[in-house]
Amino acid sequence: QKTAYEIPKRDWSSDVCSSDLETWGNKDKHYHLNKQQLTNEQGYKLITIFENEWFDKQDIVKSILSVKLGVCKNKVYARKTTFKEVSYKDIKQFEIDNHLQGTRPASKYYVLYYNDEIVMSLSMGKSRFNKKISNEIVRMTTKKNLNVIGGISKLIKNIKVNDCLTYADKRYGD
């Protein structure tokens, strides 16, 4: 599948993105989702990067793009990592340094270690919006410039919960 990306400018006062001044302010809340669906129908995988992300967290954006485009040279196989439950204090800086949205407190924190270093983390808390589900994955974070192959599967497999949900930023993946 072909990949395209864009960096739209953001009008912070109205939270509307457009480079076309004639339509400025006329976009609905599903504008980016609709554009993504249209490009998918054309055989492209659209990755949208907001201007503030590019300026404020460019290193994380470049890391995400390198993994998505398959050019990330640094790989770790999850079978070579060690699973461990840790505290928020242990994971906070890792999330700040490696996640576009930074850190967010949760109830439980799990990591994968490789060579005594955190390479992937998962923060879990009580479900915020769906009361029929008990647990929610609050953050899933991978170390910048690293592809942890099988990492999500290993984290999920080792967490003993009956039910769980998460939300994904569809600008970066399915």
Side-chain angles (χ1 to χ4, degrees), residues 67 74-84 94 110-114 117-124 137 139-143 146-159:
V67 171
N74 300 319
K75 296 177 183 161
V76 170
Y77 291 92
R79 66 181 175 268
K80 295 184 175 189
T81 65
T82 305
F83 173 85
K84 185 176 179 185
F94 179 79
Y110 306 96
V111 297
L112 296 179
Y113 278 99
Y114 180 76
E117 179 180 24
I118 298 173
V119 294
M120 192 167 197
S121 69
L122 183 148
S123 300
M124 183 170 289
I137 296 173
R139 288 281 184 273
M140 178 82 70
T141 310
T142 304
K143 184 178 167 88
L146 183 67
N147 188 0
V148 182
I149 299 166
I152 294 171
S153 296
K154 184 167 183 173
L155 284 164
I156 299 294
K157 183 177 117 184
N158 281 284
I159 296 169

Side-chain angles (χ1 to χ4, degrees), residues 84-142:
K84 185 176 179 185
E85 185 172 349
V86 296
S87 70
Y88 183 58
K89 185 181 115 190
D90 297 328
I91 202 174
K92 183 178 178 181
Q93 194 61 49
F94 179 79
E95 287 182 340
I96 290 169
D97 293 342
N98 295 284
H99 197 285
L100 272 177
Q101 296 175 338
T103 189
R104 185 173 178 279
S107 303
K108 301 251 182 192
Y109 309 93
Y110 306 96
V111 297
L112 296 179
Y113 278 99
Y114 180 76
N115 291 339
D116 297 322
E117 179 180 24
I118 298 173
V119 294
M120 192 167 197
S121 69
L122 183 148
S123 300
M124 183 170 289
K126 185 177 177 183
S127 178
R128 296 171 293 164
F129 306 113
N130 185 336
K131 299 307 174 198
K132 294 179 182 177
I133 304 289
S134 302
N135 302 288
E136 177 181 327
I137 296 173
V138 177
R139 288 281 184 273
M140 178 82 70
T141 310
T142 304

Side-chain angles (χ1 to χ4, degrees), residues 16-49:
V16 177
C17 301
S18 176
S19 58
D20 178 3
L21 292 178
E22 290 179 23
T23 60
W24 192 270
N26 294 327
K27 294 191 172 44
D28 70 17
K29 66 180 182 177
H30 301 291
Y31 172 75
H32 289 289
L33 180 61
N34 293 336
K35 185 166 48 173
Q36 182 185 53
Q37 290 171 340
L38 286 172
T39 56
N40 285 348
E41 289 169 10
Q42 299 296 315
Y44 289 90
K45 174 67 182 154
L46 177 67
I47 298 172
T48 302
I49 303 159

Side-chain angles (χ1 to χ4, degrees), residues 1-7 36 39-40 43-49 65 68-69 171-172:
Q1 191 175 34
K2 302 172 235 170
T3 301
Y5 71 91
E6 68 170 353
I7 303 175
Q36 182 185 53
T39 56
N40 285 348
Y44 289 90
K45 174 67 182 154
L46 177 67
I47 298 172
T48 302
I49 303 159
L65 288 174
K68 293 291 177 192
L69 295 172
R171 295 179 303 128
Y172 290 99

